[in-house]
Amino acid sequence: MRLIPKPGGTEAEACIQGFIDVQMAARAEGIPWDEVKVDYGSFTRGPQLRGLLVDEQKGLCAYTGAPLDERLTEKQPSRLNPPHTDYWFKPHIEHLKPEEQCREELTANQREVGRDVGEDMAYPNLVVAIEVSGTPKEQFGASFRGTKPLPILPTMPECERSFEYLESGRVLGTSDEAKVTITNLRLDHATLESWRRGAVRAFLGKAADYTTAELETLARLDGEGIERLDEFAFGIAPLARFTLAKRNFNQ
């Protein structure tokens, strides 16, 4: 995973708050609250918010590192040969704390879903992840997770050191919490392994041709000055750092 900061004052946060403000203003004019709800199920700015969150995430799925932009259409599931015609991947707004849990907590606090604002509408709780359509055995990431707990989240600083990515495409957890996260997101799925392996091999095949500046860019996961990260940058960044260290040592 790559750390996804959630500072205040972003366009995505403004998008959410703008919707809430419009609904509240309508109530102030006398429209009953149950006609202008403020829960995620009533949210009308999904496409706009999704695009803003994808930009924040530099074009990558919060969980898997798969691309969420036009590169996603080039991906095919590894276990379907030929791929099913009704099989697809798409960006999905994901609640880090499941929407169902947010609603239950709101009710437990003697508040009402739709009338009161809960964590289902909280900007820090929302990211974009890849959604997989197809047979259950082909699902991974947000589609497989459902409401399973995730001890490691992409908004936690420790997320970047919690996983080790191998050249084979495999991912290993560096803690028990990370191992549970891998299981509950099925990050060890064959399709993801094949995608990561392809990204690693593409990097290794031209690593010697990269300039030092290009390697330094690939080695960073902070995304500073970068509009779009390479797909599966989580796995490529350590290799880029190793290549840089080796190059510097040999100079």
Side-chain angles (χ1 to χ4, degrees):
M1 288 184 187
R2 167 184 173 265
L3 175 63
I4 301 174
K6 288 289 185 176
T10 66
E11 288 187 62
E13 184 181 46
C15 174
I16 298 168
Q17 189 60 51
F19 167 78
I20 294 172
D21 291 345
V22 166
Q23 300 297 86
M24 291 299 190
R27 292 185 194 181
E29 294 177 358
I31 299 177
W33 74 263
D34 57 353
E35 294 182 20
V36 282
K37 297 181 179 180
V38 289
D39 63 323
Y40 187 75
S42 305
F43 187 59
T44 57
R45 302 184 181 186
Q48 179 188 357
L49 177 61
R50 186 166 54 245
L52 292 170
L53 292 174
V54 169
D55 289 344
E56 284 186 0
Q57 295 169 205
K58 310 295 181 181
L60 298 186
C61 169
Y63 294 148
T64 68
L68 295 173
D69 49 27
E70 72 281 356
R71 297 171 291 179
L72 187 56
T73 62
E74 302 171 2
K75 300 296 182 186
Q76 297 290 355
S78 64
R79 295 184 180 180
L80 301 181
N81 189 20
H84 293 177
T85 57
D86 61 347
Y87 203 99
W88 44 257
F89 308 100
K90 70 176 184 179
H92 154 78
I93 297 179
E94 168 80 351
H95 288 74
L96 297 176
K97 176 186 286 187
E99 186 179 355
E100 178 181 318
Q101 183 180 345
C102 295
R103 296 165 70 90
E104 290 173 352
E105 290 181 359
L106 197 65
T107 301
N109 290 324
Q110 309 303 312
R111 303 175 73 192
E112 193 162 355
V113 175
R115 185 185 68 186
D116 301 302
V117 179
E119 282 192 85
D120 60 323
M121 292 294 292
Y123 164 65
N125 193 39
L126 299 173
V127 296
V128 180
I130 187 172
E131 181 178 350
V132 184
S133 171
T135 60
K137 71 177 182 179
E138 284 296 329
Q139 294 181 358
F140 52 80
S143 303
F144 179 75
R145 180 228 178 161
T147 60
K148 299 180 185 70
L150 297 181
I152 303 294
L153 296 172
T155 49
M156 296 177 174
E158 63 266 33
C159 72
E160 292 185 5
R161 61 177 182 270
S162 294
F163 305 95
E164 180 182 358
Y165 299 92
L166 307 183
E167 292 183 20
S168 64
R170 291 187 62 204
V171 58
L172 304 177
T174 61
S175 65
D176 290 341
E177 291 80 5
K179 292 173 184 176
V180 171
T181 301
I182 289 172
T183 298
N184 287 351
L185 286 173
R186 203 183 262 176
L187 297 180
D188 54 358
H189 192 278
T191 294
L192 280 175
E193 287 192 0
S194 70
W195 287 355
R196 286 193 296 258
R197 185 166 56 249
V200 168
R201 288 178 176 174
F203 167 77
L204 292 175
K206 54 185 179 182
D209 298 327
Y210 281 115
T211 66
T212 296
E214 288 171 333
L215 285 173
E216 288 172 345
T217 297
L218 289 168
R220 296 203 320 269
L221 286 176
D222 58 15
E224 183 179 353
I226 304 170
E227 291 187 4
R228 187 175 80 168
L229 288 167
D230 282 18
E231 57 188 76
F232 305 104
F234 313 157
I236 294 174
L239 293 173
R241 288 193 286 268
F242 175 80
T243 304
L244 268 173
K246 185 176 178 181
R247 180 177 294 181
N248 292 335
F249 179 81
N250 291 330
Q251 286 181 347

